[in-house]
Amino acid sequence: QVQLVESGGGLVQPGGSLRLSCAASGSISSIYAMDWYRQAPGKQRELVAGITRGGSISYADSVKGRFTISRDNAKNTAYLQMNSLKPEDTAVYYCYAEVLPHYSSLLRTWGQGTQVTVST
């Protein structure tokens, strides 16, 4: 069984920073794409940033220049460094990964989400 666990969310003032982590655990052979999504109240879930195993990166226009995605393949972990946070960044942030377990086929799996609130 494969699990994704996010951490690092919280309450921060506008202009502040947070670093989210997404750790994958279980019987894992390899992890391909690792992405961060977010969902604000009353809105659809949207892709924030993605990184392939080889290190190719993409960002939503709304976070370019403020957020940085990275990953540590040895630790099966992805990170999202969020700087210059704005109130409109407030959302539940979800990790998504394409995981190849040992002795099984590819899994597309989600974490449970971590709340990020940007407010005074």
Side-chain angles (χ1 to χ4, degrees), residues 21-97:
S21 297
C22 169
S25 62
S27 182
I28 296 171
S29 175
S30 186
I31 301 178
Y32 300 111
M34 297 189 80
D35 302 333
W36 288 97
Y37 285 75
R38 67 186 180 188
Q39 187 166 20
K43 294 188 176 181
Q44 289 189 332
R45 191 173 296 190
E46 63 173 353
L47 178 63
V48 174
I51 184 168
T52 67
R53 183 171 181 83
S56 295
I57 290 173
S58 61
Y59 295 102
D61 288 342
S62 59
V63 307
K64 282 181 182 177
R66 299 188 299 122
F67 290 10
T68 302
I69 189 172
S70 61
R71 64 189 285 174
D72 184 333
N73 291 331
K75 296 182 178 179
N76 290 332
T77 300
Y79 306 95
L80 187 67
Q81 177 67 43
M82 305 185 295
N83 299 328
S84 302
L85 282 161
K86 304 175 181 180
E88 51 264 43
D89 294 318
T90 295
V92 178
Y93 283 70
Y94 297 91
C95 180
Y96 165 86

